[in-house]
Amino acid sequence: MLHEVKNAVKKVLAFFGLYHPSLGIKIHPPKKASVILEYKTPALRIFVETGTEFGTMINMIGDKFEKVYSIELNTELFEKAKELYKGNEKIQLLHGDSANEIKKVLTELQEPAIFWLDAHGPGDMSFDNSSHCPAEKELEAIFGHAIKRHVILIDDARKFDLKSIARIKSLAKANGYACTIKDGLFRLFPEQN
């Protein structure tokens, strides 16, 4: 019931041009994959994903990259992914909190990568609950990396609260990144100098 009320309010606000900045349509995995691949260039050969879940994104675009890192917190999902990708040398799975595990990935990176941040629980998201939404800590780790040419995409922008959206934009700007919300995704990329 509450979810329906929220959606109705968003639609009314959108009608008057006063909508929540993250209001967007839910896009399905094939569209998300095509957005990720919009940023794929010969210089971006590595894909880093937080939130492996069922391996959907790896299955859709993994073959387009030379190396894939994927981080999963849930033990059962991690074990299933290990079995699914057993023997695939280019896919490296990590088990644990993505805010911590992403730091391990970053120590290995010697070139820019595409990051797909999708490690969050269901429902609305706020940086106030980092165990449910580790995106802020993930971003801080990426922005702290020596390489400043990564492309960062964050799923489910429509679920973030206004304070967290402002924080994402602020972090991006402070680190020389442009930030837009399009097709329900945050898109962060280095600003052109």
Side-chain angles (χ1 to χ4, degrees):
M1 173 74 171
L2 181 60
H3 178 68
E4 293 168 357
V5 171
K6 282 183 180 179
N7 281 340
V9 168
K10 283 182 177 181
K11 286 179 182 178
V12 169
L13 291 173
F15 178 77
F16 290 104
L18 303 170
Y19 60 91
H20 187 280
S22 67
L23 180 65
I25 59 170
K26 178 178 176 155
I27 63 172
H28 297 285
K31 175 63 177 170
K32 292 176 185 183
S34 72
V35 170
I36 292 168
L37 292 176
E38 284 176 27
Y39 294 94
K40 172 73 176 90
T41 66
L44 293 169
R45 304 177 307 158
I46 299 170
F47 178 68
V48 181
E49 166 185 62
T50 64
T52 310
E53 197 176 29
F54 305 114
T56 304
M57 204 52 65
I58 295 172
N59 292 339
M60 295 181 114
I61 65 170
D63 64 334
K64 307 286 192 260
F65 293 87
E66 290 182 22
K67 180 75 176 176
V68 173
Y69 294 89
S70 188
I71 303 166
E72 179 56 52
L73 176 63
N74 180 286
T75 301
E76 184 179 330
L77 292 173
F78 174 74
E79 291 300 327
K80 286 180 180 178
K82 258 181 37 178
E83 187 60 32
L84 183 62
Y85 301 114
K86 182 171 47 178
N88 189 330
E89 298 296 319
K90 79 177 196 174
I91 298 173
Q92 183 174 340
L93 301 171
L94 293 96
H95 181 233
D97 181 340
S98 60
N100 296 322
E101 297 300 316
I102 202 165
K103 294 173 188 172
K104 294 176 185 174
V105 172
L106 288 164
T107 63
E108 293 184 20
L109 289 183
Q110 303 298 314
E111 60 188 87
I114 295 178
F115 286 83
W116 173 247
L117 305 183
D118 193 19
H120 55 76
D124 293 339
M125 289 179 275
S126 170
F127 284 178
D128 292 337
N129 183 357
S130 63
S131 64
H132 180 73
C133 177
E136 181 176 29
K137 291 182 180 178
E138 294 169 346
L139 286 171
E140 288 171 347
I142 296 166
F143 289 142
H145 191 243
I147 296 170
K148 305 299 182 189
R149 297 182 323 275
H150 300 299
V151 171
I152 308 162
L153 302 166
I154 307 172
D155 196 13
D156 298 318
R158 72 192 191 287
K159 294 183 178 182
F160 283 81
D161 64 16
L162 291 173
K163 181 178 169 186
S164 300
I165 292 168
R167 182 74 177 133
I168 290 170
K169 290 181 175 183
S170 174
L171 279 169
K173 184 174 182 157
N175 287 281
Y177 276 68
C179 176
T180 62
I181 299 173
K182 184 178 173 191
D183 297 322
L185 306 174
F186 288 97
R187 301 170 183 224
L188 290 75
F189 45 90
E191 291 182 313
Q192 302 296 342
N193 294 332

